[in-house]
Amino acid sequence: MKRSSPEENEEAASSTEKRQRSPSFQQPSDVLHLNVGGTLTAVLRRTLTSIEGSMLASRFSGRWDDSLEKDRDGNFFIDQPIALFQPMIDYLRAKACETMLAPPVTSPEFDDVRKLKDFVRMVEYFGMTAGIYPTELEMCRGEISAAKISGHPNLGVISSEYATFTLETRGHKRPIRSFSVILGDVEKIEIGLVRANHFVKKLRKGDHRGVGMERYTFCLDCSQEGLLYEGSFTKLDGLSTEKGTLIRCENKGERWLVNGQVVASSIALEDSFHLPPDLQQYSLIPAFSGKGSWQVCEVELDPMISDHKTSISHL
């Protein structure tokens, strides 16, 4: 049997080491040792990468392990206070073992306003906002058994009956500024905004008027091809309910696009309509009335915390 030379053994060891450092070799079960602002801790790789698309997930995917900052002992170094980073990790750990038999996991809370702002800033930096403060769809009109709601990261609705849903954030007061909707097979669809604290939740059987027809509501009515504000209709061109249509609402209803084309805007030089003045001064919540299926994506939060409570009243 031929014995390997020292050079061949060294080459084989080097090859093995490179394989172990390669992204394909990294496992979600890897225990990563971190130095967070001077405090040592250990976290599973799958915990750090649990929010898909985030900068944190990309950083610890395994592709960049060799180039990430480390302390002199080889621990990955994160230049953040442990008092801010640890609550985020604890939340991700709790979400990983969440069950229907226990109370739902809630976003981290802070009594100190400054600390909360610092935490939100860090979450934004790591691209974790959608995961730490997820947006949620909730039925506000209609029969619960007739609809299936999907949560983050694939927000969407499949409803066999006409119903109304709202889109809200949880755990903080930053309102939703912009969002997009991808239409599936829809029979009827209204995409709009409702005024916080004035749109009362009514889960019960029977007909309801929908977003744009009820008081304190405003919408893009794709089925009738126009804008609706409390029942008042304005005709628009370029609307569609075809499967795959992308509808975008920007800056809390000031600009509407269909498949990338502006169909309504209150921005200067594009004065095709005016956002109702009694809605401009209030916090608005995205809402949808329809029958069929659609997905919600590209949700953007306002960088400023609203002074208004952004929750739907309940009966």
Side-chain angles (χ1 to χ4, degrees):
M1 180 176 178
K2 183 180 178 181
R3 299 180 64 180
S4 301
S5 67
E7 291 80 8
E8 289 174 330
N9 289 335
E10 184 178 345
E11 183 178 347
S14 176
S15 177
T16 300
E17 185 179 352
K18 287 180 179 178
R19 258 196 334 271
Q20 290 176 342
R21 291 202 310 261
S22 70
S24 60
F25 193 85
Q26 311 300 345
Q27 299 296 322
S29 58
D30 290 344
V31 177
L32 303 183
H33 296 273
L34 311 180
N35 180 337
V36 183
T39 300
L40 300 181
T41 187
V43 185
L44 288 174
R45 188 184 297 276
R46 65 168 167 259
T47 300
L48 295 174
T49 60
S50 58
I51 306 303
E52 296 182 11
S54 69
M55 189 253 276
L56 193 69
S58 175
R59 177 176 290 190
F60 290 100
S61 64
R63 297 179 60 192
W64 318 109
D65 283 6
D66 288 341
S67 59
L68 292 178
E69 298 91 343
K70 299 180 182 69
D71 65 14
R72 63 186 179 185
D73 297 319
N75 302 302
F76 293 106
F77 184 77
I78 296 178
D79 195 18
Q80 296 288 339
I82 190 67
L84 298 181
F85 195 79
Q86 192 64 54
M88 182 173 70
I89 295 303
D90 289 342
Y91 173 82
L92 296 177
R93 287 169 169 161
K95 288 294 290 184
C97 59
E98 189 173 30
T99 72
M100 295 295 291
L101 301 178
V105 179
T106 58
S107 303
E109 298 180 358
F110 299 90
D111 294 330
D112 188 308
V113 175
R114 181 175 178 179
K115 192 173 182 179
L116 171 61
K117 290 181 178 180
D118 289 341
F119 178 78
V120 170
R121 187 181 299 110
M122 181 195 69
V123 168
E124 286 279 5
Y125 171 75
F126 284 121
M128 303 284 285
T129 302
I132 303 301
Y133 296 118
T135 50
E136 297 179 1
L137 284 162
E138 181 181 13
M139 180 184 281
C140 281
R141 301 281 192 279
E143 178 61 32
I144 294 178
S145 61
K148 179 180 178 181
I149 300 175
S150 301
H152 177 83
N154 301 308
L155 288 168
V157 169
I158 300 176
S159 184
S160 60
E161 296 181 6
Y162 185 70
T164 296
F165 307 82
T166 56
L167 180 70
E168 296 186 73
T169 57
R170 296 286 187 259
H172 67 103
K173 296 181 180 180
R174 292 176 61 203
I176 295 170
R177 179 172 61 183
S178 303
F179 62 93
S180 296
V181 176
I182 301 174
L183 300 185
D185 293 313
V186 295
E187 184 175 317
K188 185 178 182 181
I189 181 74
E190 292 107 33
I191 302 168
L193 301 148
V194 301
R195 182 170 148 185
N197 291 335
H198 288 83
F199 190 71
V200 180
K201 182 176 179 179
K202 300 175 182 176
L203 284 175
R204 59 187 180 217
K205 294 183 178 180
D207 295 334
H208 66 277
R209 303 177 68 192
V211 178
M213 291 297 293
E214 295 193 38
R215 194 178 181 190
Y216 308 119
T217 67
F218 168 72
C219 81
L220 195 69
D221 188 331
C222 301
S223 304
Q224 296 189 72
E225 299 186 1
L227 290 164
L228 267 176
Y229 169 57
E230 295 185 346
S232 178
F233 182 77
T234 302
K235 181 70 175 176
L236 290 177
D237 296 323
L239 300 190
S240 172
T241 58
E242 291 183 3
K243 186 176 182 178
T245 296
L246 177 65
I247 299 170
R248 177 76 175 164
C249 170
E250 295 184 343
N251 202 26
K252 303 173 187 176
E254 288 191 351
R255 195 165 185 253
W256 296 84
L257 301 92
V258 175
N259 293 328
Q261 300 296 316
V262 176
V263 295
S265 175
S266 62
I267 299 173
L269 304 180
E270 297 178 358
D271 193 18
S272 57
F273 87 100
H274 292 284
L275 189 67
D278 56 342
L279 289 183
Q280 293 177 13
Q281 59 182 319
Y282 293 99
S283 183
L284 302 174
I285 300 170
F288 319 89
S289 293
K291 178 180 179 181
S293 64
W294 60 91
Q295 290 183 312
V296 181
C297 59
E298 300 178 329
V299 177
E300 295 181 12
L301 302 181
D302 197 308
M304 301 298 292
I305 294 177
S306 173
D307 292 331
H308 302 280
K309 184 179 179 182
T310 58
S311 61
I312 295 294
S313 300
H314 291 65
L315 287 182

